[in-house]
């Protein structure tokens, strides 16, 4: 499992108060931030053990408003030996009262590496995430459903100076996320999310060099609080 955690009051550091994942409009150059922590449950068929939970990853997520109902998002996720950098834009639309949507595309670059004695392995991969979010606002609670198509643009696994695997441009799977956010203290927003990943290549699992081309179901649990 993979948990996202975000902490602190929006007003104390000048960001816009409110929920994080709810697809609301942002005035140009206004922004909102969250610090995140997440747990991912690895597929047993890959890790070949019963303990399929791994140490948490931490992420800093930032949204910034742009003109013409465009919102930019940047996100950095790390497990210290893994780094995932994500940047994209979303178009915001409000079809009816209390319902908000984002339609966007993100580009992501992943790098992981361990260099210890004779064990020197690394991975460099890039992704495109085509995503749609639909959110509903219930007074002080918001519920957001996000659907994401995952394209693996490139992947290169290396052991020392030897390239084990290298390829480009493959459809990698889909991710469905459900986020619930609500106020819990003054302007602070708390987030709970569940992400259902159905993927061939799970970048957090790169160190095991999985070779199967089957899709794996990989659940993820997310907690967060706004910065």
């Amino acid at each position: 499992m993979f948990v996202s955690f975000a902490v602190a009051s929006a007003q104390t550091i000048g960001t816009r108060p409110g929920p994080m994942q709810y697809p609301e409009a942002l005035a140009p150059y206004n922004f909102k931030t969250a610090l995140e922590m997440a747990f991912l449950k690895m597929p047993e068929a890959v890790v070949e053990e019963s303990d399929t939970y791994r140490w948490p990853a931490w992420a800093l997520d930032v949204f910034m408003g742009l003109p013409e109902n465009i919102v930019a998002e940047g996100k950095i996720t790390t497990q210290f030996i893994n780094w995932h950098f994500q940047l994209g834009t979303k178009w915001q639309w409000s079809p009816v009262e209390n319902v908000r949507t984002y339609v966007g595309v993100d580009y992501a670059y992943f790098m992981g590496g361990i260099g210890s004695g004779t064990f020197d392995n690394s991975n460099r991969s890039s992704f495109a995430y085509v995503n749609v979010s639909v959110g509903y606002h219930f007074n002080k609670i918001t519920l957001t459903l996000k659907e994401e198509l995952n394209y693996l643009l490139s992947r290169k696994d290396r052991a020392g100076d030897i390239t084990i695997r290298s390829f480009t441009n493959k459809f990698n799977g889909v991710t469905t996320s459900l986020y619930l956010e609500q106020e819990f203290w003054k302007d602070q927003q708390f987030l709970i999310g569940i992400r259902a990943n159905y993927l061939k290549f799970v970048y957090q699992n790169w160190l095991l060099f999985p070779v199967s081309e089957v899709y794996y179901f990989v659940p993820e649990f997310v907690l967060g609080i706004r910065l």
Side-chain angles (χ1 to χ4, degrees), residues 140-178:
K140 294 185 177 181
I141 297 175
T142 62
L143 192 65
T144 301
L145 178 67
K146 182 177 181 180
E147 195 70 26
E148 190 172 74
L149 301 180
N150 184 314
Y151 293 89
L152 182 58
L153 302 179
S154 65
R155 175 184 173 186
K156 180 176 287 188
D157 295 300
R158 297 181 66 89
D161 295 327
I162 302 172
T163 299
I164 299 175
R165 185 184 299 103
S166 179
F167 56 74
T168 58
N169 298 329
K170 286 191 174 184
F171 178 68
N172 196 42
V174 298
T175 297
T176 301
S177 306
L178 184 64

Side-chain angles (χ1 to χ4, degrees), residues 60 80 107 111 129 201:
L60 179 66
F80 305 108
Y107 172 82
M111 57 183 185
Y129 304 130
F201 173 55

